[in-house]
């Protein structure tokens, strides 16, 4: 959707597909009672100058108008407005200073202030039904039943039986678990999960997806760890559900939270190879440009001790990164660890390490590969004498060198044979 704001206090909410004539737009006026609660000067601060405020979406259902220290949320569909004063008056040092910044989230609004980060979002329906004082929802009855069981009351199963008679126990368990998922980690969340577990014990097989219960518990555990890590991620459950697990791991790796990325990958049975590779690259980058060869060898041994436990690590990728960051010794060590010979050869050629390239090509037992390396080498080495000196160190490739020169550079063949002092041949 598109939201437009006019200085007289009108909001226009339009569907983004403006080409469809039948799509209607809604107009919503800020209620007078909201205006009366705000000091005129404060309201003027918000709407007087476009540079003084933000106008953006809050989730999918509301729009936000935020000033230097205020946030006003409007829900056109519900005809409601909410006004928040995010900064206390006695903390204001300069009335012209901007004290907050808002960011749209999938389920609400993130408000960044000097005092902290706050998330404004609509209370999920499951949480409302489970916690509202006058709620008659079965999820709330299930919590009462669990509480009675914990207190060992004689009629502790009465509520459970009532829910079972309505064939709503499976729905009550699901609602309560989703309600718990939308709470931040605390004793109330744990109580709700235990109540949901209590109700699950009475659900008949086939009436409820027990795997789904386990999956939501896994999700809750991951979100709680995101909140409580050394580098906390203030992410709501709805935001987490919108993110693909691999994308979540990538975000953690971009922020170099390798420990949590590893733990979550392991927990979800994802491939941890990427985490180890990113950790290794980060450790390379952390080294000083003035590091000695001994320092590089020590860092390589530290990294390799961890990588040796992980199958299918791409050492060639790590070698390329090491060369990129001018860590030649480390790059060579990683290159030697690469198991795929065909993967090593292009890197040796790029580094002009002709001896290693020829040795690796010979180990493939493929004459075509060896001829290709010889051709690259001949075109990059100055003079036939230097070429002869380099290939002369590899006596086992002699037949391939003769064949290559005979077919491509016959005028250099005699020079090569004389350098080998093989006059008979």
């Amino acid at each position: 959707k598109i939201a437009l704001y006019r200085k007289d206090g009108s909001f226009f909410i339009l569907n983004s597909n403006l080409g469809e004539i039948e799509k209607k737009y809604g107009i919503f006026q800020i209620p007078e009672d909201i205006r009366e609660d705000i000091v005129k000067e404060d309201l003027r601060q918000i709407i007087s100058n476009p540079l003084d405020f933000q106008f953006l979406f809050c989730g999918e259902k509301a729009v936000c108008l935020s000033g230097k220290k205020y946030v006003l949320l409007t829900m056109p569909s519900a005809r409601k407005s909410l006004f928040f004063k995010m900064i206390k008056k006695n903390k204001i040092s300069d009335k012209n200073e901007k004290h907050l910044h808002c960011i749209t989230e999938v389920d609400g609004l993130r408000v960044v202030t000097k005092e902290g980060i706050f998330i404004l979002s609509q209370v999920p329906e499951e949480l409302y039904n489970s916690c509202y004082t006058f709620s008659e929802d079965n999820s709330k009855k299930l919590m009462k039943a669990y509480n009675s069981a914990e207190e060992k009351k004689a009629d502790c199963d009465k509520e459970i039986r009532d829910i079972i008679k309505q064939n709503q126990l499976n729905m009550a368990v699901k609602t309560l678990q989703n309600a718990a998922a939308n709470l931040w980690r605390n004793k109330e969340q744990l109580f709700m999960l235990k109540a949901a577990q209590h109700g699950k014990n009475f659900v008949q097989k086939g009436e409820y997806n027990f795997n789904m219960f386990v999956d939501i518990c896994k999700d809750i555990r991951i979100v709680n760890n995101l909140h409580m890590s050394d580098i906390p991620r203030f992410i709501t459950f709805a935001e987490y559900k919108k993110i693909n697990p691999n994308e979540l791991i990538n975000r953690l790796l971009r922020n170099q939270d390798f420990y949590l990325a590893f733990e979550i990958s392991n927990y979800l049975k994802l491939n941890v190879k990427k985490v180890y590779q990113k950790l290794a690259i980060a450790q390379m980058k952390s080294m000083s440009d003035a590091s000695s060869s001994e320092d590089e060898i020590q860092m390589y041994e530290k990294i390799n001790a961890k990588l040796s436990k992980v199958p299918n690590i791409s050492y060639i990728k790590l070698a390329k990164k090491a060369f990129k960051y001018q860590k030649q010794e480390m790059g060579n060590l990683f290159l030697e660890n690469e198991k795929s010979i065909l993967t090593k050869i292009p890197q040796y050629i790029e580094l002009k390490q002709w001896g290693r390239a020829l040795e690796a090509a010979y180990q493939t037992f493929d004459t075509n590969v060896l001829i290709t390396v010889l051709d690259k080498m001949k075109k990059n080495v100055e003079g036939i004498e230097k070429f002869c000196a380099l290939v002369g160190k590899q006596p086992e490739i002699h037949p391939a060198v003769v064949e290559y020169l005979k077919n491509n550079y016959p005028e250099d063949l005699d020079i090569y044979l004389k350098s080998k002092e093989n006059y008979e041949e």
Side-chain angles (χ1 to χ4, degrees), residues 249-272:
I249 299 302
N250 288 337
R251 291 187 187 188
L252 290 170
L253 291 175
R254 282 199 295 270
N255 287 278
Q256 299 200 354
D257 196 347
F258 300 106
Y259 175 75
L260 194 56
F262 171 78
E263 290 293 330
I264 293 177
S265 298
N266 218 19
Y267 189 59
L268 295 177
K269 294 182 171 54
L270 300 175
N271 192 345
V272 297

Side-chain angles (χ1 to χ4, degrees), residues 28 45 56 59 82 85 103 116 118 133 149 180 230 235 249 252 274 287-288 294-295 323 336 369 416:
F28 180 72
Q45 272 193 17
L56 66 167
L82 298 171
K85 189 172 184 179
I103 304 168
F118 304 90
T133 306
D230 291 337
I235 179 172
I249 299 302
L252 290 170
K274 183 195 294 185
M287 294 186 69
S288 167
E294 289 76 16
D295 294 332
F323 291 131
E336 288 175 11
V369 175
Y416 168 69

Side-chain angles (χ1 to χ4, degrees), residues 378-395:
K378 182 74 169 65
K379 291 174 179 177
N380 283 276
V381 169
E382 292 183 6
I384 183 62
E385 291 79 10
K386 189 170 183 181
F387 175 84
C388 293
L390 288 169
V391 296
K393 296 176 183 178
Q394 311 272 352

Side-chain angles (χ1 to χ4, degrees), residues 360-378:
Y362 178 73
Q363 288 175 4
T364 65
F365 301 103
D366 188 334
T367 305
N368 291 327
V369 175
L370 191 51
I371 294 294
T372 300
V373 174
L374 287 169
D375 187 54
K376 291 281 186 183
M377 183 175 162
K378 182 74 169 65

Side-chain angles (χ1 to χ4, degrees), residues 15-27:
N15 287 288
S16 57
N17 190 355
L18 299 174
E20 297 184 24
I21 301 173
E22 66 270 20
K23 296 289 185 182
K24 294 182 179 180
Y25 60 86
I27 305 175

Side-chain angles (χ1 to χ4, degrees), residues 384-424:
I384 183 62
E385 291 79 10
K386 189 170 183 181
F387 175 84
C388 293
L390 288 169
V391 296
K393 296 176 183 178
Q394 311 272 352
E396 64 274 9
I397 68 169
H398 174 70
V401 176
V402 171
E403 181 185 346
Y404 169 71
L405 292 175
K406 185 178 180 181
N407 293 332
N408 297 281
Y409 299 93
E411 68 278 6
D412 290 334
L413 182 57
D414 282 350
I415 299 174
Y416 168 69
L417 292 174
K418 284 177 183 177
S419 72
K420 295 285 290 182
E421 297 184 355
N422 195 336
Y423 300 108
E424 186 177 335

Side-chain angles (χ1 to χ4, degrees), residues 174 177 208-217:
K174 183 179 177 181
Q177 194 183 24
Y208 185 75
N209 186 342
F210 293 96
N211 290 331
M212 183 184 70
F213 188 92
V214 175
D215 289 341
I216 293 177
C217 285

